[in-house]
């Protein structure tokens, strides 16, 4: 029998009902009298299983649930299956008919009673500059999708500033170590420090207020927020001489030994500050070595670290549960032998540790670690790395992978699921399916057709036809990795840049002699170009659903994304043509191919301009809005631009890790960089000795100069694009201009089986 759900606190029935009523008022209250149309009540769990049920007749819905998460999940099940409505990142309203449609008696249960949400880095890659309105919508999304254990690190800068200054650190030194707005996530995990900023003078107070609002709403909906706790990472001023450091991408961070008095003192200060500022729900995210190698491999040291971290939490909160990402045991698995992992984990009482199998849809750890070393654990999906543009997701594998864990006799102490993607607002189908699988382990065969019908609010069979194509191409078996956009790759020498870099997320090869790049996936699948003909057919089906497709909402989003994918992948051809022309010393050929590549990128820029969420101007305006004056806004914009491009310092090896298909970024950043590369190759081709003698150092110097100039530029008052062409016409014209390449073109790229966990073999060349 499985252990009781991790979020053990069960709201009183009246509180659960009130929270659900408030949720429904926000979602459908404009057209429906909630009190008159929806009868909400709680019921007992079905043993260890959560349960919801509903029935609707005569415009009145009777909704029952064992807890707030079940109530909200039950309502969303009704809304999708009987009201024809979805609530996704692309659809911001739940537009149910009035009166509410009838529904037969329906009941569902689940043994996956804990549903975790978010990754530390989601707070940077997606939510760095959100205000309350966006957070409110996201919390409603969480509720409808059954989330009951959300990570909540918003406002942690206020906690650390309070704790560090209470310990005697100068406020300016504390703020400098915490760094800038775009990179908090990595500071909280001990990866970076002292990068970016300074923060606006009102930032900390404003985000503390925002954090309190978020927590209040999550608690109102019966969620158990997971707050950060102290892992030992400190500014150097709080580290005694001899304190070891850990390294990540060139940053070094002091790590206090957890068995030291200094560690206990800082841990107590952090816990006290957090409790006073934000309260507690007794669940804490602590990741001392997320992607860094610990200072010592001695099992005794690792055991002492875990014991000290746990003691630092429980001495302030005896009811504490430690939520630990299992990522280090995958990413640095050359270090984390079974002996070391067990020494670390066994130092914490079994009921007080919850382990996340973070990338289970691609590299399931539970199958090779005795069900996560016998600890309580959640089956999680990372799916997206860095927010990079990519349409993908193995839908069949998602169902089969979770089902295999769920029904295995070796599942151990599996308690639920987690959505731990690095960035959100992409590939809604993947997340709708995963959250449905919690309550529907065996979805109906027509699940995808119903998804399409509900997503576009149409019974036109073309909707299902388009998704049938997408399901056997972009979302086919084995598509557990993103298909990289070649536009985002960084030209850095005479070779194709997207064929020389390590697959993002794969474990680090500790035997490699050089640092490995993690900035973009390799060009690893020869099927990509071969799929473009089918994808063009899917795009035409989508375009034809509504002649007046708006440049917003789910249909507009999917048209822009699918057509954008086609154009981006088609751009492999002019990139290869540039290389081929340079190899034969044809400078004019290089320039002609670059003109073709320019057309691809400018078309992508125009497509992206159709969607507010795909504009650089939206991202930078949101960042600038947190500044009280132009100088503060300029700093915020610099940090926001840096994350998307250089990521950090020039030597960090993370360039373009968070690259996006955004207007302004495509035409303003990627296009000039490709032009530098093409000009360099063309100039070299005109020399007697050809491109082989090209000065690589000169190219790299010009690329770095461009990147640094762009990331530090500012665009106050950037206008919103106007007078854009109608999306259907633009999309049709684009498909006509970039027809699918002949089948022979698909065999050019080297093949790496996308279904396997690849050993990295492409170390980045040192400068």
């Amino acid at each position: 029998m499985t252990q009781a759900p991790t979020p053990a606190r069960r709201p009183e029935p009246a509180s659960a009902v009130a929270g659900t009523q408030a949720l429904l008022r926000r979602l459908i209250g404009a057209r429906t009298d909630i009190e008159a149309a929806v009868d909400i009540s709680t019921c007992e769990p079905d043993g260890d299983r959560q349960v919801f049920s509903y029935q609707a007749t005569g415009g009145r819905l009777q909704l029952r649930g064992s807890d707030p998460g079940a109530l909200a999940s039950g309502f969303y099940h009704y809304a999708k299956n009987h009201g024809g409505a979805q609530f996704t990142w692309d659809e911001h309203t739940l537009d149910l008919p009035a009166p509410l449609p009838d529904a037969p008696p329906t009941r569902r249960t689940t043994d996956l009673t804990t549903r975790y949400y978010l990754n530390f880095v989601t707070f940077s890659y997606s939510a760095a500059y959100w205000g309350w309105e966006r957070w409110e919508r996201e919390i409603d999304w969480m509720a409808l999708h059954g989330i009951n254990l959300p990570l909540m690190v918003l406002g942690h800068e206020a906690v650390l500033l309070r704790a560090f200054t209470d310990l005697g650190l100068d406020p300016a030194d504390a703020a400098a170590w915490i760094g800038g707005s775009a990179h908090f996530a990595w500071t909280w995990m001990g990866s970076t420090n002292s990068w970016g900023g300074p923060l606006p003078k009102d930032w900390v107070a404003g985000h503390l207020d925002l954090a309190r609002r978020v927590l209040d709403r999550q608690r109102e909906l019966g969620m158990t927020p997971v707050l950060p706790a102290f892992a030992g990472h400190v500014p150097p001023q709080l580290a005694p001489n001899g304190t070891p450091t850990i390294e990540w991408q060139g940053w070094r961070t002091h790590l206090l030994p957890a068995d030291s008095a200094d560690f206990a003192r800082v841990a107590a200060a952090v816990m006290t500050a957090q409790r006073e500022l934000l309260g507690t729900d007794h669940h804490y995210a602590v990741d001392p070595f997320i992607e860094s190698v610990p200072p010592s491999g001695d099992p005794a040291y690792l055991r002492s670290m875990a014991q000290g971290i746990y003691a630092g939490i429980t001495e302030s909160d005896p009811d504490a549960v430690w939520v630990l990402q299992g990522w280090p045991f995958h990413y640095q698995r050359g270090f984390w032998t079974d002996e070391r992992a067990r020494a670390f984990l066994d130092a914490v009482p079994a009921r007080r540790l919850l382990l996340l199998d973070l990338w289970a849809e691609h590299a399931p750890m539970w199958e090779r670690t005795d069900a996560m070393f016998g600890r309580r654990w959640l089956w999680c999906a990372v799916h997206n790395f860095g927010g990079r543009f990519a349409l993908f997701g193995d839908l069949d594998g998602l169902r089969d992978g979770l089902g295999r864990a769920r029904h295995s006799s070796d599942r151990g102490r599996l308690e639920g699921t987690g959505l731990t993607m690095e960035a959100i607002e992409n590939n809604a189908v993947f997340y709708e399916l995963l959250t449905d699988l919690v309550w529907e382990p065996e979805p109906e065969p027509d699940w995808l057709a119903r998804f399409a019908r509900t997503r576009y609010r149409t019974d036109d069979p073309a909707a299902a036809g388009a998704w049938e194509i997408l399901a056997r191409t972009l979302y086919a078996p084995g598509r557990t990795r993103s298909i990289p956009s070649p536009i985002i790759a960084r030209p850095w020498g005479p070779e194709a840049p997207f064929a020389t870099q390590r697959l993002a997320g794969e474990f680090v090869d500790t035997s490699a002699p050089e640092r490995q790049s993690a900035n973009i996936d390799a060009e690893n699948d020869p099927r990509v170009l071969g799929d473009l003909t089918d994808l063009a057919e899917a795009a035409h089906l989508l375009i034809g659903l509504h002649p007046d497709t708006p440049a917003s909402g789910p249909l507009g989003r999917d048209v822009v994304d699918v057509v954008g994918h086609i154009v981006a992948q088609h751009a492999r051809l002019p990139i290869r043509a540039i290389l081929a022309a340079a190899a034969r010393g044809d400078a004019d050929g290089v320039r002609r191919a670059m003109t073709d590549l320019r057309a691809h990128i400018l078309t992508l820029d125009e497509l992206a301009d159709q969607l507010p969420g795909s504009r650089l101007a939206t991202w930078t305006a949101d960042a600038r809005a947190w500044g009280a004056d132009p100088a503060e806004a300029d700093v915020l914009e610099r940090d926001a631009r840096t994350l998307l491009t250089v990521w950090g310092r020039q030597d960090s090896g993370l360039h373009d890790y968070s690259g996006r298909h955004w207007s302004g970024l495509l035409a303003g950043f990627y296009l000039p960089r490709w032009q530098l590369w093409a000009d360099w190759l063309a100039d070299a081709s005109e020399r007697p000795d050809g491109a082989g003698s090209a000065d690589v150092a000169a190219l790299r110097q010009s690329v770095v100069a461009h990147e640094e100039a762009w990331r530090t530029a500012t665009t106050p008052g950037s206008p919103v694009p106007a007078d854009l062409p109608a999306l259907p016409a633009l999309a049709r014209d684009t498909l006509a201009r970039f027809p699918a390449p002949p089948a022979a073109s698909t065999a050019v790229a080297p093949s790496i089986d996308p279904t396997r966990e690849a050993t990295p073999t492409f170390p980045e060349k040192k400068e």
Side-chain angles (χ1 to χ4, degrees):
M1 183 175 293
T2 59
Q3 186 163 323
T6 296
R9 122 182 118 77
R10 191 172 170 217
E12 294 298 321
S15 174
V17 169
T20 305
Q21 285 176 329
L23 172 69
L24 299 194
R25 286 192 201 98
R26 289 191 297 277
L27 296 172
I28 64 171
R31 299 181 58 187
T32 303
D33 182 343
I34 300 303
E35 282 73 13
V38 186
D39 175 22
I40 305 171
S41 61
T42 58
C43 63
E44 289 300 312
D46 184 357
D48 290 333
R49 304 173 70 88
Q50 291 173 322
V51 58
F52 69 72
S53 64
Y54 60 78
Q55 179 178 3
T57 56
R60 185 165 179 81
L61 172 68
Q62 293 183 324
L63 178 66
R64 306 283 182 269
S66 56
D67 55 85
L71 284 168
S73 295
F75 178 75
Y76 192 40
H77 190 278
Y78 164 77
K80 288 197 291 188
N81 290 279
H82 303 284
Q86 278 185 5
F87 191 85
T88 69
W89 297 305
D90 311 309
E91 180 61 83
H92 302 158
T93 61
L94 197 63
D95 191 12
L96 286 175
L100 296 178
D102 289 352
T106 302
R107 184 177 186 271
R108 296 289 185 272
T109 66
T110 184
D111 60 339
L112 300 176
T113 52
T114 301
R115 275 94 61 186
Y116 183 85
Y117 185 55
L118 295 174
N119 189 309
F120 272 85
V121 302
T122 323
F123 286 83
S124 289
Y125 285 134
S126 293
Y129 304 109
W130 286 0
W132 168 245
E133 181 180 355
R134 181 63 187 84
W135 268 111
E136 183 176 47
R137 192 165 74 242
E138 191 66 21
I139 298 167
D140 287 348
W141 187 98
M142 296 181 201
L144 292 178
H145 291 81
I147 303 304
N148 56 16
L149 192 69
L151 179 66
M152 222 305 285
V153 303
L154 190 66
H156 193 55
E157 58 271 33
V159 173
L160 292 186
L161 283 170
R162 164 79 70 84
F164 291 164
T165 53
D166 284 352
L167 291 168
L169 187 61
D170 184 276
D173 290 337
W177 184 84
I178 286 172
S181 57
H183 293 79
F184 284 154
W186 296 273
T187 298
W188 302 165
M189 294 186 292
S191 300
T192 61
N193 62 77
S194 311
W195 178 247
L199 293 173
K201 59 180 180 296
D202 296 329
W203 174 280
V204 174
H207 278 77
L208 180 59
D209 288 343
L210 179 59
R212 288 166 172 162
R213 255 182 121 170
V214 168
L215 286 167
D216 286 347
R217 178 61 57 80
Q218 290 176 335
R219 291 162 178 160
E220 175 187 301
L221 289 166
M223 300 176 191
T224 301
V226 180
L227 300 177
F230 183 62
H233 312 116
V234 293
Q237 297 89 339
L238 294 178
N241 290 338
T243 298
T245 62
I246 53 175
E247 186 272 344
W248 183 82
Q249 291 291 338
W251 278 275
R252 300 206 72 91
T253 302
H254 287 83
L255 180 69
L256 294 174
D259 58 357
S260 67
D262 293 298
F263 183 101
R265 185 168 60 98
V266 179
V270 171
M271 291 292 290
T272 298
Q274 184 158 263
R275 184 173 59 251
E276 292 177 354
L277 295 175
L278 298 173
T280 183
D281 296 86
H282 312 298
H283 286 69
Y284 302 94
V286 195
D287 296 285
F289 314 114
I290 190 64
E291 288 187 351
S292 299
V293 175
S296 170
D298 186 342
Y301 167 80
L302 298 171
R303 185 178 302 109
S304 72
M305 283 298 298
Q307 288 173 336
I309 291 169
Y310 177 68
I313 303 170
T314 54
E315 286 178 11
S316 294
D317 183 357
D319 298 322
V321 173
W322 180 354
V323 180
L324 176 68
Q325 298 180 83
W327 189 250
F329 309 127
H330 157 77
Y331 191 77
Q332 294 284 3
R333 74 189 197 197
F335 173 88
W336 287 101
T337 63
D338 188 73
E339 179 187 16
R340 288 169 174 168
R342 291 188 181 279
F344 186 81
L345 297 171
D346 290 350
V348 183
R351 65 191 180 92
R352 298 292 189 170
L353 182 69
L354 181 65
L355 199 55
L356 308 182
D357 189 354
L358 212 68
W359 203 10
E361 88 281 14
H362 175 77
M365 288 179 54
W366 72 273
E367 294 181 332
R368 60 178 178 81
T369 58
D370 187 23
M372 299 303 286
F373 307 98
R375 311 309 296 239
R376 300 167 56 208
W377 68 282
L378 304 180
W379 192 99
C380 303
V382 170
H383 186 247
N384 176 275
F385 285 92
R388 293 197 298 277
F389 174 84
L391 299 180
F392 78 104
D394 182 349
L395 301 182
D396 287 342
L398 186 62
R399 180 197 64 217
D400 295 343
L402 179 57
R404 189 169 64 252
R406 192 176 203 164
H407 302 303
S408 173
S409 59
D410 298 322
R411 62 179 271 176
R413 306 179 70 179
L414 172 65
E415 294 188 4
T417 59
L419 302 178
T420 52
M421 58 272 125
E422 291 195 348
I424 60 173
E425 300 177 318
N426 61 78
N427 295 287
V429 64
F430 184 89
Y431 302 97
E432 291 299 306
L433 178 58
L434 180 49
T435 51
D436 276 3
L437 288 171
V438 169
W439 300 93
E440 305 271 10
E442 299 296 333
E444 296 296 325
D446 67 341
W447 183 93
L448 193 64
R450 288 188 291 112
F451 167 84
R453 183 169 60 247
T454 305
R455 183 163 176 79
Y456 307 131
R457 300 177 184 271
T458 179
D459 291 322
D460 190 330
W467 273 96
E468 186 278 328
I469 295 172
L470 296 175
R472 59 180 164 80
T473 53
L474 299 176
Y475 299 94
R479 292 292 191 192
T480 58
R481 299 201 59 88
S482 63
I483 301 170
S485 167
I487 301 299
I488 294 169
R490 187 192 196 204
W492 199 235
E495 66 284 330
F498 42 81
T500 58
Q501 294 155 351
R502 183 171 65 86
L503 296 170
E506 300 298 353
F507 66 90
V508 172
D509 182 0
T510 54
S511 65
E514 300 171 331
R515 178 189 297 280
Q516 294 167 321
S517 172
N519 62 341
I520 194 165
D521 295 339
E523 185 190 27
N524 63 352
D525 193 340
R527 296 176 299 172
V528 169
L529 292 177
D531 285 342
L532 296 189
T533 299
D534 288 344
L535 291 176
E537 180 184 351
H540 281 297
L541 290 172
L542 292 175
I543 294 167
L545 288 177
H546 295 298
D548 301 319
T549 303
S552 62
L555 184 54
R557 170 65 182 268
D558 291 348
V559 168
V560 168
D561 281 355
V562 173
V563 176
H565 171 89
I566 292 169
V567 176
Q569 300 307 325
H570 196 281
R572 295 179 189 274
L573 302 184
I575 292 172
R576 292 170 181 164
I578 291 171
L579 290 166
R584 63 177 182 266
D586 181 1
D588 289 341
V590 170
R591 296 187 179 101
R592 285 194 300 272
M594 182 60 218
T595 298
D596 190 8
L597 179 58
R598 171 182 289 273
H600 283 73
I601 297 174
L602 292 178
T603 299
L604 274 176
D605 195 273
E606 187 177 18
L607 279 167
D609 236 356
Q610 297 276 339
L611 304 177
S614 295
R615 295 174 186 152
L616 174 69
T618 301
W619 174 256
T620 56
D622 288 348
R624 295 183 68 87
W626 284 97
D629 56 47
E632 289 187 346
D634 286 351
V635 171
L636 289 162
E637 181 173 357
R638 179 205 66 201
D639 288 351
R641 283 170 166 252
T642 298
L643 183 68
L644 301 180
T645 54
V646 177
W647 200 98
R649 297 189 297 251
Q650 279 289 339
D651 63 354
S652 67
L654 287 167
H655 303 82
D656 308 301
Y657 184 86
S658 188
R660 320 282 173 102
H661 278 188
W662 283 359
S663 66
L665 188 61
L666 287 155
F669 181 75
Y670 301 127
L671 177 55
R673 195 167 65 178
W674 283 110
Q675 189 70 59
L676 288 170
W677 181 65
D679 290 345
W680 173 75
L681 285 172
D683 291 346
S685 297
E686 291 179 325
R687 296 176 187 149
D689 47 1
S693 64
D695 183 356
V696 175
L699 168 69
R700 295 180 177 181
Q701 184 178 19
S702 63
V703 167
V704 169
H706 162 66
E707 291 173 341
E708 290 299 306
W710 190 92
R711 78 174 186 89
T712 56
T714 57
T715 54
S718 179
V720 175
D723 300 325
L724 294 170
L727 178 55
L730 174 61
R732 288 192 187 96
D733 176 67
T734 299
L735 292 172
R737 291 171 58 207
F738 302 107
S745 298
T746 65
V748 176
S751 176
I752 298 175
D753 181 358
T755 65
R756 72 175 175 86
E757 185 180 354
T759 301
T761 57
F762 303 117
E764 183 182 57
K765 295 178 181 178
K766 287 187 176 180
E767 297 293 318

